[in-house]
Amino acid sequence: MSVVPGQPDRIRTLLSRHRPRYGEPIFRGLVGLASLTVVALIAGLILVIAQQSLTGIAHNGLAFLGGSDWDPVHQVFQALPFIYGTVFTAGTALVLAMLIGVGVAIFLVDLAPAWLARPVGLMVEMLAAIPSVVYGLWGIFVLAPWLRDFVEVPLHDTLGFLPFFSGNPIGIGNLAAVVVLTIMVLPTVAVVSRDVLAAVPISQREAALALGATRWETIRIGVLPYARSGIVGAGILGLARGVGETMAVTMVIGNAPVISLSLFSQGYTMASVIANEFSEATTNLYRSSLLEIGLLLLMVTLLINAVARLLIWRVAYGSTSRSVLA
Amino acid sequence: MTAMTDGSSSSLPAVAPDALPLSRGLPLGERASAALEHPAVQVEVGSLHAYYGRHRVLRDVTFTARPNAVTAIIGPSGCGKSTLIRCLNRMHEVTPGARVEGEVRLDGSSIYAPGIDPVVIRQRIGMVFQRPNPFPTMSIFDNVVAGLKLAGIRDRQLLDEVAERSLQRAALWDEVRDKLKSPGGALSGGQQQRLCIARAIAVEPEVILMDEPASALDPISTLKIEELMDSLRASYTIVIVTHNMQQASRVSDQTAFLTVGDDGAGYLVEFDDTATIFTNPRQRLTEDYISGRFG
């Protein structure tokens, strides 16, 4: 359309007319308030939990972290078995989930054709959508008996002399918790690793291919090193999920404050003890001690999450190649 | 998301060898004759068509890159220059849905023949990309010898020798000799590109392909890369894609001019000695392009 003489002036006049701007501060105020709410929630949560656990911290002292005696009747609250249980189950599950999850991610990004990568990726994501109590039910009624009959008994009979396979194979215990946790951590590790691998520039793959690298060698020298810190981040994010997971673990781990290397032993985690005992915590000290466990759990997961996000961010959004150098 | 599918090439129609313009024995370019260190091999392209899915991006390209000479591929944006050069070391087929018809011969034998492993082809035909792409987590040294280590070479003394020689030939040795252990990603853009050239020549390829190797670099770095091409000519056959006609006229012995046809596919308009293309082209299209009338 050609410009009609006089039209620019008309448009300029229209544009220069005053239009009310009071909506501007309201809009800014509203979205600012919404964001502030989140910040206030987190700060308030930490503050209240910390404040409420002060009684426990004062009474229990350092033995809370180092002792293994949990006896509410005699007012002894030592959380080491729970800390150990959390670290043991989440750590073992993480190792397994990393092996499977990074494999899945490599397959989805670099090997699978598009028609396969999309549905498989979707299925992995759906693993994360299954409610934790469903995993727990499946774990206690299906997985635990199966593990007992087909994994624990044979392992006990053949390798029972190893500390990992000693004790009574009854199904319920650390192994069941580790398997359930692995399945629950897997989607986090796989999906984040997939996104991190997909963010590795094509030029890195081409650099390796052009040198005469095979497909696996290309992944090994061009893709994985570049994504290294992001994959570590995926693992740490998975660890955060494993550490905080409550319901499913509580249902299959046996809930006995035992410190044992054995996969067959019953165990207890920080999250499980809170879930199991909050309704019995009648004394102020008991309640405060449970909150102390909660505070510890909160701090650990917050820290883990922060580190993970930092690492992932550096791969996905780091502007220069230098940023991936750990 | 990148699925790397090394598409099979077994369905390619065989092209009779005598259908190819064999140029072995042609007189070498003036500059190339100066210092011939190492006899290189020729790359013959015959009736090459390239596709992305059903879309044809290159139509019927035929030319021969002379040994120990620099062959430039020029043409307007979208004419398939980069696709063409990526067909020469079987990198085109890495893109999902991409395929090739026709013939590319390295020293007389087809690189698309059934049973030929693209990995072997890419060892013999090195490539330097538009954007420098060193492996950022590897040291400078490890970047240079990455191809050798892939091949299982662990002899430390040999690796040291190759690294030094390759860096020297890539005119980078003096700048990095004291920091071979520092990461390759920490170098400047121009240095990174020379590092990539060093990495490519470390595996002693017979041909080096360069896809606009200087287009992301400043003028001084560009000059260094051009000088480098001039010296590498003594040992290798070099094919370079450039959108810069002055660069083509400065560095190359032969020039292929491509443009986009009405069907959207790039085709070869003219192929000749660079001097002829730039001073006395046979085709009107070529003349219009090099004189800046289009493109």
Side-chain angles (χ1 to χ4, degrees):
Chain A
M1 208 170 91
S2 62
V3 176
V4 181
Q7 203 183 40
D9 282 345
R10 190 162 155 248
I11 289 172
R12 283 175 194 148
T13 313
L14 284 170
L15 285 177
S16 67
R17 275 202 309 201
H18 175 75
R19 62 181 198 272
R21 297 272 166 92
Y22 47 76
E24 214 52 20
I26 295 178
F27 170 72
R28 245 190 297 177
L30 281 177
V31 294
L33 194 68
S35 316
L36 202 64
T37 314
V38 176
V39 177
L41 270 176
I42 291 200
L45 189 81
I46 296 176
L47 220 64
V48 169
I49 291 183
Q51 190 252 327
Q52 302 245 334
S53 51
L54 281 179
T55 315
I57 295 173
H59 177 272
N60 302 330
L62 278 178
F64 179 79
L65 297 174
S68 43
D69 204 6
W70 183 263
D71 187 354
V73 178
H74 296 99
Q75 302 206 330
V76 180
F77 300 100
Q78 298 172 345
L80 189 61
F82 314 124
I83 299 171
Y84 173 82
T86 297
V87 171
F88 180 78
T89 53
T92 313
L94 178 70
V95 172
L96 296 175
M98 284 292 275
L99 291 175
I100 304 170
V102 174
V104 169
I106 290 174
F107 177 75
L108 291 179
V109 174
D110 275 316
L111 301 177
W115 62 265
L116 189 60
R118 226 160 281 156
V120 171
L122 207 64
M123 269 190 257
V124 174
E125 285 173 33
M126 272 163 57
L127 275 184
I130 298 176
S132 137
V133 69
V134 175
Y135 278 118
L137 272 181
W138 172 77
I140 199 157
F141 290 132
V142 181
L143 179 69
W146 185 87
L147 282 177
R148 180 191 59 213
D149 295 345
F150 297 103
V151 179
E152 296 190 352
V153 168
L155 276 177
H156 184 262
D157 290 350
T158 51
L159 296 167
F161 56 90
L162 290 173
F164 313 107
F165 307 121
S166 62
N168 285 331
I170 62 165
I172 303 288
N174 285 332
L175 182 62
V178 164
V179 173
V180 166
L181 268 183
T182 302
I183 299 171
M184 299 184 73
V185 168
L186 177 63
T188 306
V189 173
V191 169
V192 176
S193 300
R194 178 193 64 184
D195 294 347
V196 166
L197 291 184
V200 174
I202 299 254
S203 62
Q204 287 293 308
R205 297 180 168 86
E206 289 185 337
L209 282 173
L211 278 178
T214 62
R215 204 180 285 195
W216 157 240
E217 288 164 346
T218 300
I219 292 164
R220 183 165 61 80
I221 74 165
V223 180
L224 290 180
Y226 195 96
R228 187 175 54 194
S229 61
I231 290 173
V232 172
I236 295 177
L237 216 52
L239 183 64
R241 174 149 194 207
V243 165
E245 176 47 43
T246 310
M247 199 63 230
V249 173
T250 308
M251 289 165 82
V252 299
I253 200 170
N255 300 322
V258 180
I259 297 182
S260 166
L261 269 179
S262 172
L263 284 167
F264 305 160
S265 166
Q266 278 72 64
Y268 221 152
T269 67
M270 294 157 80
S272 300
V273 73
I274 296 173
N276 275 325
E277 300 194 3
F278 75 95
S279 58
E280 307 160 9
T282 44
T283 68
N284 201 25
L285 178 62
Y286 194 174
R287 205 176 69 108
S288 185
S289 297
L290 284 182
L291 278 157
E292 196 181 347
I293 295 182
L295 181 69
L296 189 60
L297 197 53
L298 178 70
M299 288 306 180
V300 169
T301 41
L302 278 183
L303 187 72
I304 289 174
N305 263 295
V307 172
R309 305 234 171 238
L310 183 72
L311 290 172
I312 295 163
W313 182 83
R314 285 206 304 183
V315 173
Y317 307 104
S319 54
T320 67
S321 53
R322 231 168 293 191
S323 65
V324 293
L325 299 169
Chain B
M1 188 174 298
T2 330
M4 283 176 301
T5 43
D6 285 1
S8 161
S9 58
S10 52
S11 61
L12 285 175
V15 173
D18 55 358
L20 293 168
L22 297 171
S23 64
R24 200 188 288 272
L26 278 181
L28 294 173
E30 291 160 43
R31 282 171 299 182
S33 56
L36 186 61
E37 291 173 2
H38 186 281
V41 300
Q42 66 181 1
V43 178
E44 299 157 85
V45 179
S47 304
L48 188 82
H49 304 260
Y51 301 81
Y52 286 110
R54 311 178 70 145
H55 182 57
R56 174 150 68 176
V57 288
L58 267 186
R59 167 160 47 87
D60 198 17
V61 175
T62 299
F63 71 92
T64 296
R66 212 158 59 203
N68 295 103
V70 176
T71 301
I73 302 172
I74 62 169
S77 296
C79 71
K81 306 185 291 281
S82 287
T83 303
L84 174 56
I85 201 169
R86 290 166 66 90
C87 288
L88 304 187
N89 68 338
R90 298 194 59 172
M91 285 290 284
H92 175 64
E93 67 203 41
V94 166
T95 310
R99 66 196 168 84
V100 172
E101 282 171 13
E103 201 61 273
V104 176
R105 289 172 181 273
L106 177 65
D107 199 18
S109 40
S110 170
I111 67 168
Y112 282 103
I116 296 287
D117 185 355
V119 166
V120 175
I121 294 302
R122 294 182 200 127
Q123 281 170 349
R124 296 178 62 190
I125 306 181
M127 189 163 201
V128 176
F129 297 86
Q130 186 170 357
R131 296 207 156 269
N133 56 359
F135 300 118
T137 56
M138 285 187 197
S139 67
I140 291 171
F141 178 86
D142 284 336
N143 261 284
V144 178
V145 299
L148 280 75
K149 282 193 169 175
L150 271 183
I153 297 172
R154 292 283 177 277
D155 179 345
R156 184 71 202 184
Q157 200 190 340
L158 178 64
L159 293 178
D160 283 341
E161 283 170 19
V162 170
E164 179 172 348
R165 193 179 59 218
S166 304
L167 285 167
Q168 270 169 352
R169 287 162 87 186
L172 188 60
W173 175 250
D174 292 338
E175 291 158 63
V176 301
R177 59 186 306 167
D178 296 326
K179 49 176 179 178
L180 291 175
K181 292 281 162 258
S182 52
L187 296 172
S188 76
Q191 289 174 324
Q192 286 188 21
Q193 193 63 304
R194 277 178 282 147
L195 177 60
C196 291
I197 293 173
R199 183 176 66 186
I201 58 184
V203 293
E204 293 297 343
E206 293 151 73
V207 179
I208 300 176
L209 309 175
M210 298 187 178
D211 186 359
E212 302 201 26
S215 68
L217 304 181
D218 63 89
I220 292 177
S221 301
T222 301
L223 184 65
K224 286 196 172 147
I225 301 284
E226 289 183 8
E227 288 171 355
L228 200 51
M229 281 187 253
D230 197 37
S231 64
L232 291 177
R233 176 199 277 114
S235 311
Y236 307 100
T237 303
I238 299 175
V239 180
I240 170 184
V241 164
T242 177
H243 64 260
N244 180 331
M245 283 180 286
Q246 284 72 36
Q247 185 170 66
S249 68
R250 281 193 300 265
V251 302
S252 72
D253 305 285
Q254 299 173 286
T255 298
F257 170 58
L258 271 64
T259 194
V260 192
D262 296 334
D263 58 351
Y267 67 99
L268 183 66
V269 176
E270 188 166 355
F271 176 73
D272 214 323
D273 284 343
T274 298
T276 311
I277 290 277
F278 279 90
T279 56
N280 191 18
R282 277 171 290 137
Q283 303 290 332
R284 180 65 193 272
L285 267 174
T286 314
E287 193 181 340
D288 286 352
Y289 183 75
I290 58 141
S291 60
R293 264 181 286 232
F294 90 102

